[in-house]
Amino acid sequence: GGMVISIINTKGGTGKTTTSVSLSAAFARSGLRTLLVDLDSQGYASRSLGIVPGQEQPTIADSLYDGDDFSSAIVGSGRELLDVVPSSLRLADYDLVLANERGRECRLEEQLGPALAAYDMVVLDCPSALSLISINALVASDYYAFPMTPEPLCLKGLETFVVLLKRLTAGLRLRARFLGIVFTMRSAGFAAAGARQAANQTNIVRIVSARYPRSVFRTVIRRDPALTAAPSAAKTIFEIAPSSHGAQDYLTLAAEIQRRCGFTAARKVEQEEPT
């Protein structure tokens, strides 16, 4: 079955959904059968690929709440090798609705199981809160990656979050392994003010790399107007600006993730410990 990766950060504005969508598109472009599962009730990931489920179309909510067949919610993205499971506003109430249900944190894993055989990579775009949905995602995952912007505020959040997630994965005896930290929205720093910001960012990247020496991805996602424009055009970065920094960076990141997960030439080999 496919390798399942959660893209998770409880803070908004870190490039989480951009990363989920662009990575999924990059995996598909490199020949991997890819499924993007939109777990955020806002549905940005689905929408940024032009997928807006109609009344009749099943979503991930039908699967998680009602136990409907997960595969009936899978839709083609109109792009080769890339499928999507759209989200629903109903997900916002998951914690309340299923608070007393047994096995409520394992529903996604159970539902996803039978669909895995059809994919090489499954990317879970988690909500911006450590809710039951995020825990479902972690339970279902082989790996989780943490996108963050190189800003002082994010540095504080990182420490807390990494500790929390490690505790959570140990407490729930999860197989999910920490794949690493992806820096997003890195300034190019040409103008004078930009140069100062770039220097500050470099400093933060350095601090985090020293603190988590094996966990920071070498690939850094540079700030790119095309990455901002792509979702509202319902296009991936590769469709809107294939030779942009954003496109290059996400292709490089996808390759680096494949190496960390022990993927070679679109075939899964024995899993290596990610370093």
Side-chain angles (χ1 to χ4, degrees):
M3 192 77 79
V4 184
I5 301 175
S6 276
I7 308 295
I8 187 165
N9 190 336
T10 49
K11 184 181 178 304
T14 58
K16 175 185 63 70
T17 298
T18 301
T19 296
S20 300
V21 171
S22 305
L23 257 185
S24 300
F27 287 141
R29 287 179 82 84
S30 69
L32 298 175
R33 297 165 305 165
T34 306
L35 178 66
L36 170 63
V37 183
D38 187 351
L39 292 171
D40 195 327
S41 58
Q42 302 293 315
Y44 290 134
S46 326
R47 279 211 299 260
S48 62
L49 288 169
I51 294 160
V52 183
Q55 288 304 107
E56 299 305 306
Q57 190 185 317
T59 68
I60 186 70
D62 299 291
S63 173
L64 292 177
Y65 285 112
D66 313 324
D68 290 5
D69 179 21
F70 179 87
S71 58
S72 68
I74 298 174
V75 293
S77 70
R79 297 153 181 95
E80 214 174 330
L81 299 180
L82 178 58
D83 291 342
V84 180
V85 174
S87 175
S88 155
L89 277 169
R90 283 177 72 199
L91 284 190
D93 301 332
Y94 190 84
D95 290 46
L96 295 169
V97 176
L98 294 180
N100 304 316
E101 294 278 330
R102 277 179 67 90
R104 62 191 182 277
E105 70 288 334
C106 304
R107 289 200 168 193
L108 180 62
E109 182 182 38
E110 287 160 6
Q111 290 282 338
L112 189 56
L116 283 182
Y119 297 97
D120 300 307
M121 280 288 183
V122 178
V123 176
L124 308 179
D125 183 37
C126 298
S128 303
L130 200 53
S131 60
L132 249 180
I133 293 283
S134 308
I135 291 170
N136 263 273
L138 289 169
V139 170
S141 292
D142 299 298
Y143 296 101
Y144 57 95
F146 186 82
M148 70 177 276
T149 49
E151 293 157 19
L153 265 178
C154 296
L155 199 52
K156 284 195 170 55
L158 173 69
E159 201 76 357
T160 334
F161 193 66
V162 169
V163 170
L164 178 68
L165 279 190
K166 290 202 161 152
R167 233 184 249 148
L168 189 70
T169 48
L172 288 169
R173 292 200 196 79
L174 301 186
R175 65 170 189 277
R177 289 188 240 150
F178 184 37
L179 192 57
I181 296 158
V182 181
F183 279 109
T184 60
M185 305 187 208
R186 179 81 159 82
S187 282
F190 298 121
R196 199 163 50 247
Q197 189 192 11
N200 290 340
Q201 290 192 344
T202 303
N203 197 30
I204 288 169
V205 172
R206 202 177 288 132
I207 292 168
V208 174
S209 303
R211 174 77 183 78
Y212 303 99
R214 296 202 306 281
S215 296
V216 175
F217 282 99
R218 282 216 298 278
T219 312
V220 171
I221 310 298
R222 289 166 281 186
R223 194 179 280 284
D224 186 335
L227 283 172
T228 321
S232 43
K235 297 259 190 281
T236 70
I237 183 68
F238 308 107
E239 292 157 353
I240 202 169
S243 54
S244 63
H245 286 323
Q248 287 163 24
D249 294 344
Y250 276 112
L251 281 172
T252 312
L253 179 64
E256 191 177 351
I257 287 178
Q258 281 169 247
R259 282 198 301 278
R260 285 196 179 199
C261 295
F263 250 97
T264 54
R267 266 209 318 279
K268 215 165 54 167
V269 293
E270 282 307 300
Q271 278 184 38
E272 300 161 355
E273 281 293 324
T275 51

